[in-house]
Amino acid sequence: FVQCGDFEQYQSYFERVKRPFLQKAAERKIGHSIMDLILNYKIGEAESKKIQVKCRIWGYMDFQPEITDEEACALLGNLWDNAIEACDRTQEKEPWIDFQMHIRPGKFLIEISNPYQEVLKDESGNLRSVKKEKGIHGIGMKTIRDIAERYHGHFSCILYDHVFKVEVMICSK
């Protein structure tokens, strides 16, 4: 719409798209507007699929992290999408996601855990997508790792007793 110069259509479209985000935005606050929107939207998505969600946030971003809005979207979006998809594939009767975020000045740590049915690794031990369309999937975890490295942080995946846990730390450059 913007490229065509139709700003009225763009405004109408934007209002429709942001409405579900804003309806959830007041529930949980990180202190970063984009991350607040994504977190609450993804929690709502998980809960609509009857996935039990535990969300704990320690601290508040009363500082402007160096991470860009696009990277924040990629980080939280990929973490939550992977967890929700794993819960969709699990045999557990009551699937769940445990999300924790620890916020300190200049850094934050995200931990997200969920049950899993299957995890594939390549010859080097790197995680591979279990989705059928390999060409368009499997880049989410690499994206998360790249973001953590770009911000001198940490990325790890831990598998134990059919629980998949991802830890991501983002630090100031």
Side-chain angles (χ1 to χ4, degrees), residues 91-103:
Q91 300 296 318
E92 277 207 27
K93 292 179 182 168
E94 295 181 355
W96 53 270
I97 296 172
D98 185 0
F99 177 86
Q100 298 181 51
M101 188 165 183
H102 305 263
I103 304 167

Side-chain angles (χ1 to χ4, degrees), residues 7-152:
F7 296 106
E8 189 174 310
Q9 281 290 90
Y10 165 75
Q11 185 65 32
S12 173
Y13 171 77
F14 184 70
E15 292 300 320
R16 284 192 318 273
V17 169
K18 77 176 186 178
R19 191 171 300 119
F21 288 104
L22 294 176
Q23 290 169 346
K24 294 282 185 181
E27 293 180 12
R28 291 163 190 95
K29 293 284 188 183
I30 294 169
H32 184 278
S33 59
I34 296 296
M35 293 176 92
D36 288 342
L37 292 172
I38 294 167
L39 176 65
N40 287 291
Y41 181 79
K42 291 299 183 181
I43 288 172
E45 182 181 342
E47 290 174 341
S48 74
K49 294 180 174 219
K50 308 295 186 228
I51 298 170
Q52 297 175 15
V53 175
K54 183 187 267 187
C55 177
R56 292 166 292 185
I57 301 167
W58 289 276
Y60 188 78
M61 279 191 194
D62 52 2
F63 60 95
Q64 183 60 38
E66 294 177 12
I67 188 169
T68 68
D69 289 348
E70 293 80 10
E71 290 166 327
C73 287
L75 179 66
L76 280 183
N78 280 307
L79 288 171
W80 277 93
D81 286 347
N82 289 344
I84 291 168
E85 290 169 15
C87 286
D88 285 344
R89 289 190 301 272
T90 189
Q91 300 296 318
E92 277 207 27
K93 292 179 182 168
E94 295 181 355
W96 53 270
I97 296 172
D98 185 0
F99 177 86
Q100 298 181 51
M101 188 165 183
H102 305 263
I103 304 167
R104 300 287 179 263
K107 64 183 169 188
F108 59 90
L109 171 68
I110 296 172
E111 299 176 7
I112 188 165
S113 303
N114 53 269
Y116 72 91
Q117 190 66 31
E118 176 183 27
V119 171
L120 299 178
K121 293 185 177 185
D122 64 17
E123 311 79 47
S124 303
N126 297 317
L127 295 173
R128 289 186 22 222
S129 178
V130 296
K131 299 171 192 162
K132 292 177 183 159
E133 307 89 10
K134 301 287 186 225
I136 60 172
H137 295 292
I139 60 170
M141 295 302 264
K142 182 183 179 329
T143 300
I144 294 166
R145 178 187 310 274
D146 290 347
I147 292 169
E149 288 174 0
R150 199 166 22 257
Y151 291 94
H152 309 289

